[in-house]
Amino acid sequence: MMTKTGEWRTTFLSGGGLRRGLGPRTWTAGLALLFAALSTASAQTQGMVRVRKPMGQKATLDGAAFTASAGAGAEFRRTLQEDLDRSGWFMPGAPGRSEYALVGTAGASGADVSAQVQFSQVAQQQLLLSKRYGAPSGDVRRMAHRVADDILAAMGRKGMFSARIVMVGTHSGSKELYVCDADGGNLLQITSDHSISVAPHWGPDGHLIAYTSYVRRYPDVYLINLATRGRQVIANYTGLNTGGAFSPDGQSMALILSKDGHQGLYVRAVSGGAPVRIFDAPRAALASPAWSPDGGQIVFVSDQAGTCRPQLYAITRHGGAPRRLTTSGSQNVAPNWGANGLIAYASLMGRFQVCVLDPSTLASKVISPGDGDYEDPSWAPDGRHIVCSRTVNYRSQIYLLDTLGDAPVALTTSPGDWYSPAITAR
Amino acid sequence: MQSRRWMMVAAMGLASLVALSGCKPKKTTTGLGPDGGLLNGGRTNGITDIDMPGGRPPGGALEMAGQYIPVYFEYDSAQVQSAERSKIEAVGDYLKHNSAGGVIIEGHCDERGSREYNLALGERRAMAVRAYLVSLGADGVRIQTKSFGKEKPVALGHDEESWSKNRRGEFVIFK
């Protein structure tokens, strides 16, 4: 039997170093600044504990004294362990010689599961979190995700494990929407349209999903309310209706429409009203609008520089002249502007790779490891990880990428293809 | 492989508009079910349509696909090649001699590139065909564009032979 300390080891964290070939010494000053910004962004949230780790370095965590009963208690413990490993901030530590310690118990009582969790900084003898949790046994994994996010918040980090992912899956034989937890669990089919679903986007509160569907035979933008289970049409004008990206305040939506005889970028209120055109492309194809975290700008894809040479551009939400953000590479597509201020996107380098761009300096860095096509990145709420699709031999799965160098993790394992993921803001 | 095939498709627009009255909220469960969704068979409650300037073929219209040969495109182009123009002119003749209904131009792409960009590229291709039809004197109101991007390939190989068949504009006549 494995020791409890051994159980806290991780299979995919290989010592916390940066990925080979991308070590600090090879960075230009601009790229180093880019990722210094990323690292401090995730550490600046709270004053309670200041984490002064260089990026990519992990703190030792001793979880040996956390006990769990069989069944739901064990599932809680296993899920929490996987989350904390996957967060990238911890490595297993020996009892008495670790920076952080997690103690407590988890077990089932009747139809419920409960846990007592104490998380502390050992040398400072500081108790950072002491809390009791309870949930129906069926929600044990979600409860563990909440605890993982609470632990990360207690040490001044943002978590991502309470977030949910919407994606397109082909499991049923048609292209339907599915939702799962940030670790790939709790997979739920959302649509049964027997049609084609494209490009789902979350509203900021995690209850609304906008997407493009051919359920009424033309590409139209719909809004699904997961709380009421209703669906309504957002845009079904003549021609192409797509996009459907929510502004960070949830009030506005960016759309790509061709109703005026050519493609344009539009903004309209989610509550209704006519779309307002903010960019006109008489001879170009437009795609993939995404908002800046302050809601003041929209990044989008345009091939105005050449057909099949799509590039990223940013424009204010009220229009004006777009600013080109990418200059190298034949195809730069699928931008997603994180709350950390950085834009994740896919760049064709033989294969598609996920890159991260600082829009103020235009410095960019490849994040994915090159062993497949990595596309459609979506920033996780922790500001460190990116959810994307990975395609190898024409089969696609959803992966979690770490911008600080941990190895990619597969989130979907079910039959069929899974792609176009979007993860909630919280 | 461009033999003319006739296929008549009764539009199913109405079926997707059926209101969903008896939908009980389902408890979230792990795993996949064939019918585990919140929305079943395209039926939802609360569908609210907004105006459609220009209009679309009415639900229930008769659609005929495959009557005209598709227009094919180069890899990095949404331009109609001169060799392809006669195919569009045949559709222009049809519109000239048939005053009812019109044509839907479906724009398609090969599998390379992002899904969303290909959706836009397919629309550009469809619009290029539409523009040529209008230049021949067709009434633009009778011409719909519908991009499928790379979602509906006709050839499933991963080589230029398949890709060249998938970069196309198809004609669907509606009455």
Side-chain angles (χ1 to χ4, degrees):
Chain A
M1 185 185 149
M2 199 182 246
T3 66
K4 280 172 181 168
T5 307
E7 285 172 344
W8 283 91
R9 290 193 63 246
T10 134
T11 53
F12 50 82
L13 302 183
S14 51
L18 292 156
R19 194 166 59 250
R20 68 183 149 64
L22 297 170
R25 285 185 195 86
T26 66
W27 290 6
T28 66
L31 292 175
L33 278 174
L34 166 64
F35 281 84
L38 180 91
S39 191
T40 52
S42 30
Q44 72 192 5
T45 40
Q46 292 176 20
M48 192 161 81
V49 185
R50 278 196 298 278
V51 183
R52 295 183 186 278
K53 290 282 170 187
M55 54 193 172
Q57 259 193 42
K58 298 171 190 301
T60 47
L61 172 65
D62 166 26
F66 192 95
T67 58
S69 64
E75 188 171 8
F76 170 86
R77 187 178 189 280
R78 187 171 57 248
T79 305
L80 177 59
Q81 170 192 336
E82 286 169 359
D83 285 356
L84 294 177
D85 282 349
R86 198 168 284 186
S87 77
W89 299 118
F90 296 109
M91 59 190 292
R97 285 184 287 125
S98 293
E99 294 161 270
Y100 294 94
L102 184 65
V103 299
T105 60
S109 57
D112 294 335
V113 59
S114 64
Q116 176 67 43
V117 178
Q118 293 186 322
F119 176 67
S120 56
Q121 205 168 11
V122 176
Q124 291 78 358
Q125 294 186 308
Q126 191 174 8
L127 187 61
L128 302 178
L129 177 74
S130 178
K131 204 167 168 183
R132 176 173 287 280
Y133 297 83
S137 292
D139 292 337
V140 61
R141 293 183 65 87
R142 292 197 67 78
M143 187 175 102
H145 296 326
R146 196 164 70 245
V147 174
D149 285 343
D150 285 354
I151 286 172
L152 291 165
M155 59 185 287
R157 302 283 188 193
K158 282 183 191 162
M160 63 170 166
F161 298 103
S162 301
R164 300 181 88 196
I165 297 167
V166 61
M167 59 199 170
V168 178
T170 63
H171 173 88
S172 67
S174 52
K175 297 169 180 176
E176 307 287 0
L177 293 189
Y178 295 77
V179 166
C180 66
D181 291 346
D183 65 348
N186 275 325
L187 187 61
L188 175 70
Q189 187 173 344
I190 299 299
T191 61
S192 299
D193 291 341
H194 308 290
S195 178
I196 300 168
S197 303
V198 184
H201 296 271
W202 285 106
D205 66 354
H207 293 300
L208 301 177
I209 297 170
Y211 74 120
T212 304
S213 172
Y214 292 74
V215 64
R216 289 166 69 201
R217 302 185 302 135
Y218 286 84
D220 295 329
V221 179
Y222 294 89
L223 186 62
I224 292 174
N225 186 326
L226 291 179
T228 65
R229 291 162 166 76
R231 175 170 57 185
Q232 70 182 87
V233 175
I234 287 289
N236 61 350
Y237 298 97
T238 300
L240 180 63
N241 301 265
T242 189
F246 288 88
S247 61
D249 66 4
Q251 301 298 305
S252 304
M253 185 175 283
L255 298 163
I256 304 291
L257 306 175
S258 66
K259 68 189 181 71
D260 296 331
H262 52 263
Q263 295 178 29
L265 174 61
Y266 294 73
V267 172
R268 65 156 258 185
V270 172
S271 57
V276 175
R277 188 173 63 214
I278 65 166
F279 181 64
D280 226 359
R283 274 180 292 279
L286 305 181
S288 305
W291 295 75
S292 65
D294 67 0
Q297 295 181 75
I298 295 170
V299 58
F300 64 99
V301 168
S302 168
D303 71 354
Q304 60 203 73
T307 303
C308 288
R309 300 187 71 81
Q311 300 291 332
L312 303 189
Y313 296 80
I315 192 170
T316 79
R317 64 164 295 159
H318 302 293
R323 180 168 70 109
R324 184 166 168 176
L325 300 180
T326 50
T327 50
S328 64
S330 61
Q331 299 201 18
N332 293 298
V333 294
N336 178 253
W337 206 325
N340 57 18
L342 304 175
I343 297 172
Y345 64 104
S347 183
L348 186 60
M349 305 169 159
R351 291 167 154 172
F352 274 107
Q353 298 304 322
V354 168
C355 299
V356 169
L357 172 96
D358 181 339
S360 57
T361 65
L362 303 189
S364 75
K365 181 174 183 288
V366 182
I367 300 300
S368 53
D371 58 341
D373 284 286
Y374 288 83
E375 298 178 76
D376 289 324
S378 174
W379 277 106
D382 69 353
R384 167 172 176 165
H385 290 87
I386 291 171
V387 175
C388 66
S389 66
R390 173 177 180 262
T391 305
V392 176
N393 295 328
Y394 307 100
R395 304 316 306 238
S396 300
Q397 297 285 342
I398 306 300
Y399 271 71
L400 184 70
L401 295 180
D402 180 15
T403 57
L404 295 186
D406 282 355
V409 182
L411 299 181
T412 50
T413 51
S414 308
D417 289 312
W418 303 90
Y419 53 82
S420 299
I423 188 165
T424 50
R426 283 190 287 275
Chain B
M1 290 299 292
Q2 291 176 16
S3 63
R4 295 186 178 189
R5 60 204 157 85
W6 283 73
M7 197 168 70
M8 299 177 77
V9 182
M12 298 169 68
L14 284 175
S16 60
L17 285 171
V18 177
L20 182 66
S21 51
C23 177
K24 277 186 191 161
K26 251 182 202 172
K27 190 77 181 167
T28 299
T29 52
T30 51
L32 283 175
D35 199 25
L38 304 173
L39 305 166
N40 298 312
R43 299 170 301 166
T44 66
N45 52 0
I47 287 179
T48 312
D49 286 344
I50 55 176
D51 292 338
M52 297 192 298
R56 285 201 176 143
L62 197 60
E63 293 186 3
M64 292 164 287
Q67 185 178 356
Y68 290 93
I69 303 170
V71 174
Y72 293 97
F73 292 86
E74 300 293 303
Y75 163 65
D76 56 352
S77 176
Q79 305 287 319
V80 174
Q81 304 299 307
S82 52
E84 300 291 303
R85 286 183 185 156
S86 60
K87 299 172 177 177
I88 304 174
E89 288 157 6
V91 176
D93 283 346
Y94 168 85
L95 291 175
K96 198 173 293 179
H97 295 108
N98 295 271
S99 56
V103 63
I104 303 162
I105 304 161
E106 297 183 347
H108 298 267
C109 304
D110 69 36
E111 64 179 348
R112 295 170 291 174
S114 87
R115 287 177 187 280
E116 292 177 50
Y117 171 65
N118 273 305
L119 208 53
L121 180 57
E123 181 71 2
R124 270 192 77 200
R125 287 177 173 157
M127 287 182 135
V129 175
R130 183 183 189 275
Y132 189 62
L133 271 174
V134 169
S135 78
L136 298 173
D139 182 355
V141 172
R142 300 174 65 197
I143 307 166
Q144 301 283 322
T145 55
K146 183 198 278 194
S147 175
F148 281 99
K150 62 177 188 177
E151 306 292 338
K152 276 181 78 173
V154 286
L156 299 176
H158 305 296
D159 49 27
E160 178 56 32
E161 189 187 348
S162 290
W163 294 334
S164 62
K165 289 175 183 161
N166 290 330
R167 294 188 301 264
R168 69 202 193 273
E170 293 196 10
F171 299 100
V172 177
I173 300 293
F174 67 88
K175 289 183 175 175

